[in-house]
Amino acid sequence: FYTAHECLLLPYEQALTRQDSTTGKWYDCSAHMLWVGERTRDLDGAHLEFTRGIGNPLGVKISDKCTPEELIRIIETMNPQNIPGKLSIIVRMGAEKLRKNLPGLIRAVQREGKAVVWISDPVHGNTRKTENGFKTRDFDNIRSELRAFFDVHDEMGSHPGGVHLELTGEDVTECTGGVSAVTDDTLRHRYNTACDPRLNGSQALELAFLIAERMRLRTGLPPL
């Protein structure tokens, strides 16, 4: 298996960075892949400076605030040699903002000939707080953003390369909606997360079938 996490605490990441004795390249050994978050991807910031010096596969999260020009500069900073598979663009916007903003970003990447992997993060742009104080996400909004991600790539002739989700196989009640019919009132029953709300096993499986259907459609296979 492979591991990945956000490159957030730079002293931690630096302490686990080593130089390969055979190639001379530097690798962050805290994970196989690291990504830079939406809040720390400043072009003049330390996080991009650190990640551009390591040989790991990298990712960067972008929201609707990212302009095409800024995205190209980020790509050129993190993957200056334009190595295919080196850099993933992890999109987190919300469905409507994604439909409006993602085409321009894809168009800029295509125009400049940049090699990236497009990944959807349909959870982080859809977080809300309930009246009784629970941080949650609505399954319908997650599904809508994921559908929008596939739709835009179909329109642009680009490839939807992956999905980033927060989930558990356990029967928790942290995200509302879906086949398990969690509501704002029932969130308290099994709200076990120590941080962000996760899709439970049933919700995750429902989303997996949606992804499978879209993938079959793109390859010309009949529906399941």
Side-chain angles (χ1 to χ4, degrees), residues 36 40-43 45-52 74 77-78:
V36 178
T40 54
R41 59 170 177 77
D42 297 335
L43 283 163
H47 289 79
L48 290 196
E49 177 66 20
F50 172 77
T51 54
R52 78 182 183 92
I74 290 172
T77 299
M78 298 183 74

Side-chain angles (χ1 to χ4, degrees), residues 12-19 26-30 50 53-54:
Y12 171 81
E13 303 299 343
Q14 289 171 325
L16 292 169
T17 299
R18 302 288 186 271
Q19 187 174 26
W26 292 87
Y27 292 92
D28 186 339
C29 300
S30 69
F50 172 77
I54 58 176

Side-chain angles (χ1 to χ4, degrees), residues 170-192:
E170 299 174 2
D171 187 25
V172 298
T173 54
E174 297 170 2
C175 293
T176 57
V179 65
S180 54
V182 180
T183 67
D184 284 8
D185 292 333
T186 60
L187 283 172
R188 59 185 174 82
H189 291 173
R190 292 179 301 280
Y191 195 91
N192 301 332

Side-chain angles (χ1 to χ4, degrees), residues 12 93 104 123 133 150 153 162-163 184 189 198 206-207:
Y12 171 81
M93 296 183 182
V123 293
F150 276 96
H153 282 289
V163 179
D184 284 8
H189 291 173
R198 303 161 296 174
E206 186 175 355
L207 211 56

Side-chain angles (χ1 to χ4, degrees), residues 3 25 27 88 106 114 124 134 161 163 174 176 190 221-222:
T3 62
K25 294 182 179 180
Y27 292 92
S88 295
I106 295 174
K114 300 302 182 184
H124 283 90
F134 286 98
V163 179
E174 297 170 2
T176 57
R190 292 179 301 280
L221 293 172

Side-chain angles (χ1 to χ4, degrees), residues 65-99:
K65 299 181 181 68
C66 186
T67 66
E69 296 75 20
E70 183 183 15
L71 179 59
I72 295 302
R73 290 184 63 192
I74 290 172
I75 293 170
E76 290 177 343
T77 299
M78 298 183 74
N79 187 20
Q81 295 178 297
N82 203 29
I83 301 170
K86 167 78 173 180
L87 182 61
S88 295
I89 307 300
I90 308 169
V91 183
R92 43 151 296 179
M93 296 183 182
E96 294 309 311
K97 290 180 179 179
L98 185 145
R99 290 185 185 277

Side-chain angles (χ1 to χ4, degrees), residues 35-36 38 59-66 71 88-95 97-99 101-103 105-106 109 116-126 142 145-146 148-150 152-153 159-165:
W35 74 83
V36 178
E38 162 72 12
V60 59
K61 291 211 176 181
I62 59 168
S63 72
D64 58 295
K65 299 181 181 68
C66 186
L71 179 59
S88 295
I89 307 300
I90 308 169
V91 183
R92 43 151 296 179
M93 296 183 182
K97 290 180 179 179
L98 185 145
R99 290 185 185 277
N101 293 281
L102 184 56
L105 300 176
I106 295 174
V109 168
V116 303
V117 178
W118 293 100
I119 295 179
S120 171
D121 171 2
V123 293
H124 283 90
N126 291 299
I142 294 170
E145 180 164 353
L146 194 56
F149 179 75
F150 276 96
V152 169
H153 282 289
H159 182 70
V163 179
H164 175 137
L165 299 172

